[in-house]
Amino acid sequence: MRNKHSIAYIVLFWFSIFVSGCSDINYVKNELTNTAKPTGGIEEHVPATKTFSADPSKVRNAVLSVLDQQGYIYEENPSTGTIKTEPQPLSGQNDSGFIGATYSAKLFIKIAKSSVTLNVRFNKESNLTMGGQNLQFPEKENALRKDFFDAVNNELAQQ
């Protein structure tokens, strides 16, 4: 009886490896052809600059508040109106377990009066291919811009 249970566990183990391996095949193909990218993103083009109808000091405070809420570590240069963040890992990006890649985003923000410009660059660490720094993924950048500008709008509405 004990042998039957052992065999059942072995079959179940290999079956789970096989099922999870199907998604790994596509991921490996994308990594090897250099077409892998972070999950998520939107096709809609979101302009890099958005002008808000609020006092410049309130816009700056809203931007800093959103960065804090989203967990970014940042450095501000008030004399130039620029903010740079440390790379922050994107959630849900380790696609394939042992051979997956992790992506992180670095935000570059320029505040000029009531206008905010947001540019994003990505770092990639991969267990399969060489990673990279300061990569561009337009669909993911559009999604991050949309979320960020929406959060600034919401923060301004609460002030």
Side-chain angles (χ1 to χ4, degrees), residues 37-85:
K37 57 186 177 182
T39 57
I42 57 174
E43 292 291 326
E44 170 193 352
H45 174 70
V46 178
T49 302
K50 179 166 181 162
T51 302
F52 297 91
S53 58
D55 181 71
S57 64
K58 288 185 177 186
V59 171
R60 178 187 166 274
N61 290 340
V63 166
L64 296 177
S65 179
V66 168
L67 288 171
D68 289 336
Q69 291 169 18
Q70 293 181 349
Y72 283 97
I73 298 171
Y74 56 89
E75 184 177 310
E76 179 185 20
N77 184 339
S79 64
T80 62
T82 58
I83 302 169
K84 291 190 300 186
T85 71

Side-chain angles (χ1 to χ4, degrees), residues 1 4 8-9 17 22 36 41 44 51 55-57 77 80 82 84 86 91 94 106 129 131 141 146 152:
M1 186 70 165
K4 287 182 182 181
Y9 287 124
I17 294 288
C22 293
E44 170 193 352
T51 302
D55 181 71
S57 64
N77 184 339
T80 62
T82 58
K84 291 190 300 186
E86 295 290 320
S91 61
N94 196 346
K106 298 186 291 186
T129 61
E141 186 171 6
K146 183 175 181 355
V152 171

Side-chain angles (χ1 to χ4, degrees), residues 93-115:
Q93 295 300 312
N94 196 346
D95 291 333
S96 297
F98 299 118
I99 59 171
T102 56
Y103 296 87
S104 57
K106 298 186 291 186
L107 307 184
F108 298 90
I109 301 167
K110 171 89 172 155
I111 303 172
K113 298 184 181 177
S114 294
S115 293

